[in-house]
Amino acid sequence: MAIEQQVFYIAKCDICGAHCDEAGDVWLWDTTRQLAVQQAADTPGWTEVEGDIVCPVSDAKHDEAREGDSPLLAAPPKDAVTVSFQEAS
Ligand SMILES: [Zn+2]
């Protein structure tokens, strides 16, 4: 009996390790790592962030990962206060 070994790749969430699947049913696999990540990036709810892949779960870690290095996060919040002191002359 002839046997052929096949390798396939399934993208997993970089935050929680959940497998990328279709409606919690069938794992979405592909023949290369790159294609598996691309497939996950094209799956509704999944987000590719700088080569990482994040599942649709919404919690602090996932939301933070999805937002990446958004310039909005780096900006001070609206209630931030800047105080400067000058020497009296
Ligand atoms: Zn996840």
Side-chain angles (χ1 to χ4, degrees):
M1 177 166 67
I3 298 292
E4 180 179 302
Q5 181 180 13
Q6 298 220 343
V7 176
F8 60 95
Y9 298 87
I10 302 166
K12 287 170 60 177
C13 173
D14 278 287
I15 306 301
C16 68
H19 290 90
C20 182
D21 57 16
E22 194 159 15
D25 189 13
V26 181
W27 289 344
L28 296 177
W29 59 271
D30 222 313
T31 50
T32 70
R33 292 169 189 270
Q34 198 174 3
L35 287 173
V37 168
Q38 186 57 51
Q39 185 171 214
D42 293 341
T43 301
W46 288 70
T47 310
E48 186 181 6
V49 184
E50 295 170 9
D52 289 346
I53 201 83
V54 184
C55 80
V57 167
S58 184
D59 63 17
K61 281 187 176 179
H62 284 82
D63 292 344
E64 196 174 296
R66 263 189 293 272
E67 285 163 15
D69 295 329
S70 165
L72 288 175
L73 290 177
K78 284 179 183 165
D79 59 351
V81 175
T82 301
V83 179
S84 59
F85 297 94
Q86 280 186 310
E87 282 185 40
S89 54

Coordinates of all heavy atoms in Angstrom, one line a residue:
M1 N 0.9 -1.2 0.0 CA 0.0 0.0 0.0 C 0.9 1.2 0.0 O 1.7 1.4 0.8 CB -0.9 0.0 1.2 CG -1.8 1.2 1.3 SD -3.1 1.1 2.5 CE -2.3 1.0 4.1
A2 N 0.7 2.1 -1.0 CA 1.5 3.3 -1.0 C 0.9 4.3 0.0 O -0.3 4.5 0.2 CB 1.4 3.9 -2.4
I3 N 1.9 5.0 0.6 CA 1.5 6.0 1.6 C 2.2 7.4 1.2 O 3.3 7.4 0.8 CB 2.1 5.7 3.0 CG1 1.5 4.4 3.5 CG2 1.8 6.8 4.0 CD1 0.0 4.4 3.8
E4 N 1.4 8.4 1.3 CA 1.9 9.7 1.0 C 1.7 10.6 2.2 O 0.6 10.7 2.7 CB 1.3 10.3 -0.2 CG 1.8 11.7 -0.5 CD 1.1 12.3 -1.8 OE1 1.2 11.7 -2.8 OE2 0.5 13.4 -1.6
Q5 N 2.7 11.2 2.7 CA 2.6 12.1 3.9 C 2.3 13.5 3.4 O 2.9 14.0 2.5 CB 3.8 12.2 4.7 CG 3.7 13.1 5.9 CD 5.0 13.1 6.8 OE1 6.0 12.6 6.4 NE2 4.8 13.6 8.0
Q6 N 1.3 14.1 4.0 CA 0.9 15.5 3.6 C 1.0 16.4 4.8 O 0.6 16.0 5.9 CB -0.5 15.5 3.0 CG -0.6 14.7 1.8 CD -1.4 15.4 0.7 OE1 -2.2 16.3 1.0 NE2 -1.3 14.9 -0.5
V7 N 1.5 17.6 4.7 CA 1.6 18.5 5.7 C 0.6 19.7 5.4 O 0.6 20.2 4.3 CB 3.0 19.1 5.9 CG1 3.1 20.2 7.0 CG2 4.0 18.0 6.2
F8 N -0.1 20.1 6.4 CA -1.0 21.2 6.2 C -0.9 22.2 7.4 O -0.5 21.7 8.5 CB -2.4 20.9 5.8 CG -3.1 20.0 6.9 CD1 -3.9 20.7 7.8 CD2 -3.0 18.7 6.9 CE1 -4.6 19.9 8.8 CE2 -3.7 17.9 7.9 CZ -4.5 18.5 8.8
Y9 N -1.3 23.4 7.2 CA -1.1 24.4 8.2 C -2.5 25.0 8.6 O -3.3 25.3 7.7 CB -0.2 25.5 7.7 CG 1.2 25.0 7.4 CD1 1.6 24.5 6.2 CD2 2.2 25.1 8.4 CE1 2.8 24.0 5.9 CE2 3.5 24.6 8.2 CZ 3.8 24.0 7.0 OH 5.0 23.5 6.7
I10 N -2.6 25.3 9.9 CA -3.9 25.9 10.4 C -3.4 27.1 11.2 O -2.6 27.0 12.1 CB -4.7 25.0 11.3 CG1 -5.0 23.7 10.5 CG2 -5.9 25.7 11.8 CD1 -5.5 22.6 11.4
A11 N -3.9 28.3 10.8 CA -3.6 29.5 11.5 C -4.2 29.5 12.9 O -5.3 29.0 13.1 CB -4.1 30.8 10.8
K12 N -3.5 29.9 13.9 CA -4.0 30.0 15.3 C -3.8 31.5 15.8 O -2.9 32.2 15.4 CB -3.2 29.1 16.2 CG -3.5 27.6 16.0 CD -2.5 26.7 16.7 CE -2.5 27.0 18.2 NZ -1.6 26.0 18.9
C13 N -4.8 31.8 16.6 CA -4.8 33.2 17.2 C -3.5 33.4 18.0 O -3.1 32.5 18.8 CB -6.0 33.4 18.1 SG -6.0 34.9 19.0
D14 N -2.8 34.5 17.8 CA -1.5 34.7 18.5 C -1.8 35.1 19.9 O -0.8 35.1 20.7 CB -0.7 35.9 17.8 CG 0.1 35.3 16.6 OD1 1.1 34.7 16.8 OD2 -0.4 35.6 15.5
I15 N -3.0 35.4 20.3 CA -3.3 35.7 21.7 C -3.8 34.5 22.5 O -3.2 34.2 23.5 CB -4.4 36.8 21.7 CG1 -4.0 38.1 20.9 CG2 -4.7 37.3 23.2 CD1 -2.7 38.7 21.3
C16 N -4.8 33.8 22.0 CA -5.3 32.7 22.8 C -5.1 31.3 22.2 O -5.4 30.3 22.9 CB -6.8 32.9 23.0 SG -7.8 32.8 21.5
G17 N -4.6 31.3 21.0 CA -4.2 30.0 20.4 C -5.4 29.3 19.8 O -5.3 28.1 19.3
A18 N -6.6 29.9 19.6 CA -7.7 29.3 19.0 C -7.4 29.1 17.5 O -6.8 29.8 16.9 CB -8.9 30.3 19.1
H19 N -7.9 27.9 17.0 CA -7.7 27.6 15.6 C -8.6 28.4 14.8 O -9.8 28.6 15.2 CB -8.0 26.1 15.4 CG -7.0 25.2 16.0 ND1 -7.1 24.7 17.2 CD2 -5.8 24.7 15.5 CE1 -6.0 23.9 17.5 NE2 -5.2 23.9 16.4
C20 N -8.1 28.8 13.6 CA -9.0 29.5 12.7 C -9.9 28.4 12.0 O -9.5 27.5 11.4 CB -8.2 30.2 11.6 SG -9.2 31.1 10.4
D21 N -11.2 28.6 12.2 CA -12.2 27.7 11.6 C -13.4 28.4 11.1 O -13.5 29.6 11.2 CB -12.6 26.6 12.7 CG -13.2 27.3 13.9 OD1 -13.6 28.4 13.8 OD2 -13.3 26.6 14.9
E22 N -14.2 27.7 10.5 CA -15.4 28.3 9.9 C -16.6 28.0 10.8 O -17.0 26.8 10.9 CB -15.7 27.7 8.5 CG -16.7 28.5 7.7 CD -16.5 28.2 6.2 OE1 -15.8 27.2 5.9 OE2 -17.0 29.0 5.4
A23 N -17.1 29.0 11.5 CA -18.2 28.9 12.4 C -18.0 27.8 13.4 O -18.9 27.0 13.7 CB -19.5 28.7 11.6
G24 N -16.8 27.7 13.9 CA -16.6 26.7 15.0 C -16.7 25.3 14.5 O -16.8 24.3 15.3
D25 N -16.6 25.0 13.2 CA -16.8 23.7 12.7 C -15.5 23.1 12.1 O -14.9 22.3 12.8 CB -17.9 23.8 11.7 CG -18.4 22.4 11.2 OD1 -18.0 21.4 11.9 OD2 -19.1 22.3 10.2
V26 N -15.2 23.5 10.9 CA -14.1 22.9 10.2 C -12.9 23.8 10.2 O -13.0 25.0 9.9 CB -14.5 22.6 8.7 CG1 -13.3 22.0 8.0 CG2 -15.7 21.8 8.7
W27 N -11.7 23.3 10.6 CA -10.5 24.1 10.6 C -10.2 24.5 9.2 O -10.3 23.7 8.3 CB -9.3 23.3 11.2 CG -9.4 23.1 12.7 CD1 -10.2 23.7 13.5 CD2 -8.6 22.2 13.4 NE1 -10.0 23.3 14.8 CE2 -9.0 22.3 14.8 CE3 -7.7 21.2 13.1 CZ2 -8.5 21.5 15.8 CZ3 -7.1 20.5 14.1 CH2 -7.5 20.6 15.4
L28 N -9.8 25.8 9.0 CA -9.4 26.3 7.7 C -7.9 26.0 7.6 O -7.1 26.6 8.3 CB -9.7 27.7 7.6 CG -11.2 28.1 7.6 CD1 -11.4 29.6 7.5 CD2 -12.0 27.4 6.5
W29 N -7.5 25.1 6.7 CA -6.1 24.8 6.5 C -5.6 25.1 5.1 O -6.4 25.4 4.2 CB -5.9 23.3 6.8 CG -6.7 22.4 5.8 CD1 -8.0 21.9 6.0 CD2 -6.3 21.9 4.6 NE1 -8.4 21.2 5.0 CE2 -7.4 21.1 4.1 CE3 -5.1 22.0 3.8 CZ2 -7.3 20.5 2.8 CZ3 -5.1 21.4 2.6 CH2 -6.2 20.6 2.1
D30 N -4.3 25.2 5.0 CA -3.7 25.4 3.7 C -2.4 24.7 3.6 O -1.9 24.2 4.6 CB -3.6 26.9 3.4 CG -4.0 27.2 1.9 OD1 -3.5 26.5 1.0 OD2 -4.8 28.1 1.7
T31 N -1.8 24.8 2.4 CA -0.6 24.0 2.2 C 0.7 24.7 2.6 O 1.8 24.1 2.6 CB -0.5 23.6 0.7 OG1 -0.7 24.7 -0.1 CG2 -1.6 22.6 0.4
T32 N 0.7 26.0 2.9 CA 1.8 26.7 3.4 C 1.4 27.6 4.6 O 0.3 27.9 4.7 CB 2.5 27.6 2.3 OG1 1.6 28.7 2.1 CG2 2.8 26.9 1.0
R33 N 2.4 27.9 5.4 CA 2.1 28.8 6.6 C 1.6 30.1 6.1 O 0.6 30.7 6.6 CB 3.4 29.1 7.3 CG 4.0 27.9 8.0 CD 5.5 28.3 8.5 NE 6.1 27.1 9.0 CZ 6.1 26.7 10.2 NH1 5.4 27.4 11.1 NH2 6.7 25.6 10.6
Q34 N 2.2 30.7 5.0 CA 1.7 32.0 4.5 C 0.3 32.0 4.0 O -0.5 32.9 4.3 CB 2.7 32.4 3.4 CG 2.6 33.9 3.1 CD 3.7 34.3 2.1 OE1 4.4 33.5 1.5 NE2 3.7 35.6 1.8
L35 N -0.1 30.9 3.3 CA -1.4 30.8 2.8 C -2.4 30.6 4.0 O -3.5 31.1 3.9 CB -1.6 29.6 1.8 CG -0.9 29.9 0.5 CD1 -0.9 28.6 -0.4 CD2 -1.6 31.0 -0.3
A36 N -2.0 29.9 5.0 CA -2.9 29.7 6.2 C -3.2 31.0 6.9 O -4.3 31.3 7.3 CB -2.3 28.6 7.1
V37 N -2.1 31.8 7.0 CA -2.3 33.1 7.7 C -3.1 34.0 6.8 O -4.0 34.7 7.3 CB -0.9 33.7 8.0 CG1 -1.1 35.2 8.4 CG2 -0.2 33.0 9.1
Q38 N -2.9 33.9 5.5 CA -3.7 34.8 4.6 C -5.1 34.4 4.6 O -6.0 35.2 4.6 CB -3.1 34.6 3.1 CG -3.8 35.6 2.2 CD -3.6 37.0 2.6 OE1 -2.5 37.5 2.9 NE2 -4.7 37.8 2.6
Q39 N -5.4 33.1 4.7 CA -6.8 32.6 4.7 C -7.4 33.1 6.0 O -8.6 33.5 6.0 CB -6.8 31.1 4.7 CG -8.2 30.5 4.6 CD -8.2 29.1 4.3 OE1 -9.1 28.6 3.6 NE2 -7.3 28.3 4.8
A40 N -6.7 33.1 7.1 CA -7.3 33.5 8.4 C -7.5 35.0 8.3 O -8.6 35.5 8.8 CB -6.3 33.2 9.5
A41 N -6.6 35.8 7.7 CA -6.8 37.2 7.5 C -8.1 37.5 6.7 O -8.7 38.6 6.9 CB -5.6 37.9 6.9
D42 N -8.4 36.7 5.8 CA -9.6 36.9 4.9 C -10.9 36.4 5.6 O -12.0 36.6 5.1 CB -9.4 36.2 3.6 CG -8.3 36.8 2.8 OD1 -7.9 38.0 3.1 OD2 -7.8 36.1 1.9
T43 N -10.7 35.7 6.8 CA -11.9 35.1 7.4 C -12.6 36.3 8.3 O -11.9 37.0 9.0 CB -11.5 34.0 8.4 OG1 -10.8 33.0 7.6 CG2 -12.7 33.4 9.1
P44 N -13.9 36.4 8.1 CA -14.6 37.5 8.8 C -14.3 37.4 10.3 O -14.4 36.3 11.0 CB -16.1 37.2 8.6 CG -16.1 36.4 7.3 CD -14.8 35.6 7.3
G45 N -14.0 38.6 10.9 CA -13.7 38.6 12.3 C -12.2 38.5 12.7 O -11.8 39.0 13.7
W46 N -11.5 37.8 11.8 CA -10.0 37.6 12.1 C -9.3 38.8 11.6 O -9.7 39.4 10.5 CB -9.5 36.3 11.5 CG -10.0 35.1 12.2 CD1 -11.3 34.7 12.3 CD2 -9.2 34.3 13.1 NE1 -11.3 33.5 13.1 CE2 -10.1 33.3 13.6 CE3 -7.9 34.2 13.4 CZ2 -9.6 32.3 14.4 CZ3 -7.4 33.2 14.3 CH2 -8.3 32.3 14.8
T47 N -8.2 39.2 12.3 CA -7.5 40.4 11.9 C -6.0 40.1 11.8 O -5.4 39.4 12.7 CB -7.6 41.5 12.9 OG1 -9.0 41.7 13.2 CG2 -7.1 42.8 12.4
E48 N -5.3 40.5 10.7 CA -3.9 40.3 10.6 C -3.2 41.6 11.1 O -3.6 42.7 10.6 CB -3.5 40.0 9.2 CG -2.0 39.7 9.1 CD -1.5 39.4 7.7 OE1 -2.4 39.5 6.7 OE2 -0.4 39.0 7.5
V49 N -2.3 41.5 12.1 CA -1.6 42.7 12.6 C -0.1 42.5 12.5 O 0.4 41.7 13.3 CB -2.0 43.0 14.0 CG1 -1.4 44.3 14.5 CG2 -3.5 43.1 14.2
E50 N 0.5 43.1 11.5 CA 1.9 43.0 11.3 C 2.4 41.6 11.4 O 3.3 41.2 12.2 CB 2.6 43.9 12.4 CG 2.3 45.3 12.2 CD 2.8 46.2 13.4 OE1 3.5 45.6 14.3 OE2 2.5 47.4 13.5
G51 N 1.8 40.7 10.6 CA 2.2 39.3 10.6 C 1.6 38.4 11.6 O 1.7 37.2 11.5
D52 N 1.0 38.9 12.7 CA 0.3 38.2 13.7 C -1.1 38.0 13.2 O -1.6 38.8 12.4 CB 0.4 38.8 15.0 CG 1.8 38.7 15.6 OD1 2.6 38.0 15.1 OD2 2.1 39.4 16.6
I53 N -1.8 37.1 13.8 CA -3.2 36.9 13.5 C -4.0 36.9 14.8 O -3.6 36.2 15.7 CB -3.4 35.6 12.6 CG1 -4.7 35.7 11.8 CG2 -3.3 34.3 13.4 CD1 -4.6 36.5 10.5
V54 N -5.1 37.6 14.8 CA -5.9 37.7 16.0 C -7.4 37.3 15.7 O -8.0 37.7 14.8 CB -5.9 39.2 16.5 CG1 -6.7 39.3 17.8 CG2 -4.5 39.7 16.7
C55 N -7.9 36.4 16.6 CA -9.2 35.9 16.4 C -10.3 36.9 16.8 O -10.0 37.9 17.3 CB -9.4 34.6 17.2 SG -9.7 34.8 19.0
P56 N -11.6 36.6 16.5 CA -12.6 37.6 16.8 C -13.0 37.9 18.3 O -13.8 38.7 18.5 CB -13.9 37.0 16.1 CG -13.4 35.9 15.2 CD -12.1 35.4 15.8
V57 N -12.4 37.1 19.2 CA -12.7 37.3 20.6 C -12.5 38.8 21.0 O -11.5 39.4 20.6 CB -11.8 36.4 21.5 CG1 -11.9 36.8 23.0 CG2 -12.3 35.0 21.3
S58 N -13.4 39.3 21.8 CA -13.2 40.7 22.3 C -12.9 40.7 23.8 O -13.8 40.5 24.6 CB -14.4 41.5 21.9 OG -14.2 42.9 22.3
D59 N -11.7 41.0 24.1 CA -11.3 41.2 25.5 C -10.1 42.2 25.5 O -9.7 42.6 24.4 CB -11.0 39.9 26.3 CG -9.8 39.2 25.7 OD1 -9.0 39.8 25.0 OD2 -9.6 38.0 26.1
A60 N -9.6 42.6 26.6 CA -8.5 43.6 26.7 C -7.3 43.2 25.8 O -6.8 44.0 25.0 CB -8.1 43.8 28.1
K61 N -6.9 41.9 25.9 CA -5.7 41.5 25.2 C -5.9 41.5 23.7 O -5.0 41.9 22.9 CB -5.2 40.1 25.7 CG -4.5 40.1 27.0 CD -3.9 38.8 27.3 CE -3.1 38.8 28.5 NZ -2.5 37.4 28.9
H62 N -7.0 40.9 23.3 CA -7.3 40.9 21.9 C -7.5 42.3 21.3 O -7.0 42.5 20.2 CB -8.6 40.0 21.6 CG -8.4 38.5 21.7 ND1 -8.4 37.9 22.9 CD2 -8.1 37.6 20.8 CE1 -8.2 36.6 22.8 NE2 -8.0 36.4 21.5
D63 N -8.3 43.1 22.0 CA -8.5 44.5 21.4 C -7.2 45.2 21.3 O -7.0 45.9 20.3 CB -9.5 45.2 22.4 CG -10.9 44.6 22.3 OD1 -11.2 43.8 21.4 OD2 -11.7 44.9 23.2
E64 N -6.4 45.1 22.3 CA -5.1 45.8 22.3 C -4.2 45.3 21.1 O -3.6 46.1 20.4 CB -4.4 45.5 23.6 CG -3.2 46.4 23.9 CD -2.7 46.1 25.3 OE1 -3.4 46.3 26.3 OE2 -1.5 45.7 25.4
A65 N -4.2 44.0 20.9 CA -3.5 43.4 19.8 C -4.0 43.9 18.4 O -3.2 44.2 17.5 CB -3.5 41.9 19.9
R66 N -5.3 43.9 18.3 CA -5.9 44.4 17.1 C -5.6 45.8 16.7 O -5.4 46.2 15.6 CB -7.4 44.2 17.1 CG -7.9 42.9 16.4 CD -9.4 42.9 16.3 NE -10.1 42.9 17.6 CZ -10.3 41.7 18.2 NH1 -10.0 40.6 17.7 NH2 -10.9 41.8 19.4
E67 N -5.5 46.6 17.8 CA -5.3 48.1 17.6 C -3.8 48.3 17.2 O -3.5 49.4 16.7 CB -5.8 48.9 18.8 CG -7.3 49.0 18.8 CD -7.8 49.4 20.1 OE1 -7.0 49.9 21.0 OE2 -9.0 49.3 20.3
G68 N -2.9 47.4 17.5 CA -1.5 47.5 17.2 C -0.9 48.8 17.7 O -1.2 49.3 18.8
D69 N -0.1 49.4 16.9 CA 0.6 50.6 17.3 C -0.2 51.8 16.7 O 0.4 52.7 16.1 CB 2.0 50.6 16.7 CG 2.9 49.5 17.4 OD1 2.6 49.2 18.5 OD2 3.8 49.0 16.7
S70 N -1.4 51.9 17.0 CA -2.3 53.0 16.5 C -1.7 54.3 17.1 O -1.4 54.4 18.3 CB -3.7 52.8 17.0 OG -4.4 54.0 16.8
P71 N -1.6 55.3 16.3 CA -1.1 56.6 16.8 C -2.1 57.2 17.8 O -1.7 57.9 18.7 CB -1.1 57.5 15.5 CG -1.8 56.7 14.5 CD -1.8 55.3 14.8
L72 N -3.4 56.7 17.8 CA -4.3 57.2 18.8 C -4.0 56.7 20.2 O -4.2 57.4 21.2 CB -5.7 56.7 18.4 CG -6.4 57.4 17.2 CD1 -7.7 56.7 16.9 CD2 -6.6 58.9 17.4
L73 N -3.4 55.5 20.2 CA -3.0 55.0 21.6 C -1.8 55.7 22.1 O -1.7 55.8 23.3 CB -2.7 53.5 21.4 CG -3.9 52.6 21.2 CD1 -3.4 51.1 21.0 CD2 -4.9 52.7 22.3
A74 N -1.0 56.2 21.2 CA 0.2 56.8 21.7 C 0.0 58.3 22.1 O 0.7 58.8 22.9 CB 1.3 56.8 20.6
A75 N -1.2 58.8 21.6 CA -1.5 60.2 22.0 C -2.0 60.2 23.4 O -2.6 59.3 23.9 CB -2.6 60.7 21.1
P76 N -1.7 61.3 24.2 CA -2.2 61.4 25.5 C -3.7 61.5 25.6 O -4.4 62.0 24.6 CB -1.6 62.7 26.0 CG -1.1 63.5 24.8 CD -1.0 62.5 23.7
P77 N -4.4 60.9 26.6 CA -5.8 61.0 26.7 C -6.3 62.4 26.9 O -5.5 63.3 27.2 CB -6.1 60.1 27.9 CG -4.8 60.1 28.7 CD -3.7 60.2 27.7
K78 N -7.6 62.6 26.7 CA -8.2 63.9 26.7 C -8.0 64.6 28.1 O -8.0 65.8 28.2 CB -9.6 63.9 26.3 CG -9.9 63.7 24.8 CD -11.3 63.7 24.5 CE -11.5 63.4 23.0 NZ -12.9 63.0 22.6
D79 N -8.0 63.8 29.1 CA -7.9 64.4 30.5 C -6.4 64.5 30.9 O -6.2 64.8 32.1 CB -8.7 63.6 31.5 CG -8.3 62.1 31.5 OD1 -7.4 61.7 30.7 OD2 -8.8 61.4 32.4
A80 N -5.5 64.3 30.0 CA -4.1 64.5 30.4 C -3.8 66.0 30.6 O -4.4 66.8 30.0 CB -3.2 63.9 29.3
V81 N -2.9 66.2 31.5 CA -2.6 67.6 31.9 C -1.1 67.9 31.7 O -0.3 67.0 32.1 CB -3.1 68.0 33.3 CG1 -2.6 69.4 33.7 CG2 -4.6 67.8 33.5
T82 N -0.8 68.9 31.1 CA 0.6 69.3 31.0 C 0.9 70.5 31.9 O 0.1 71.5 31.8 CB 1.0 69.7 29.6 OG1 0.8 68.5 28.8 CG2 2.5 70.0 29.5
V83 N 1.8 70.5 32.8 CA 2.1 71.6 33.6 C 3.6 72.0 33.5 O 4.5 71.1 33.4 CB 1.9 71.2 35.1 CG1 2.3 72.4 36.0 CG2 0.5 70.8 35.3
S84 N 3.9 73.2 33.3 CA 5.3 73.7 33.2 C 5.5 74.8 34.2 O 4.5 75.6 34.5 CB 5.6 74.1 31.8 OG 4.8 75.2 31.4
F85 N 6.7 74.9 34.7 CA 7.0 75.9 35.7 C 8.0 76.8 35.1 O 9.0 76.4 34.5 CB 7.5 75.3 37.0 CG 6.5 74.4 37.7 CD1 6.4 73.0 37.4 CD2 5.5 75.0 38.5 CE1 5.5 72.2 38.1 CE2 4.6 74.1 39.2 CZ 4.5 72.8 38.9
Q86 N 7.8 78.1 35.4 CA 8.9 79.0 34.9 C 9.4 79.7 36.1 O 8.6 80.1 37.0 CB 8.3 80.1 34.0 CG 8.1 79.5 32.6 CD 7.6 80.7 31.6 OE1 6.7 81.3 31.9 NE2 8.3 80.8 30.5
E87 N 10.7 80.0 36.1 CA 11.3 80.8 37.2 C 10.8 82.2 37.1 O 10.8 82.7 36.0 CB 12.8 80.7 37.2 CG 13.3 79.4 37.8 CD 14.8 79.4 37.8 OE1 15.4 80.4 38.2 OE2 15.4 78.3 37.5
A88 N 10.5 82.8 38.2 CA 10.1 84.2 38.2 C 11.4 85.0 37.9 O 12.5 84.8 38.4 CB 9.5 84.6 39.5
S89 N 11.2 86.0 37.0 CA 12.4 86.8 36.7 C 12.3 88.2 37.4 O 11.3 88.6 37.9 CB 12.4 87.1 35.1 OG 11.2 87.6 34.7
Ligands
ZN1 ZN -7.8 34.7 20.3

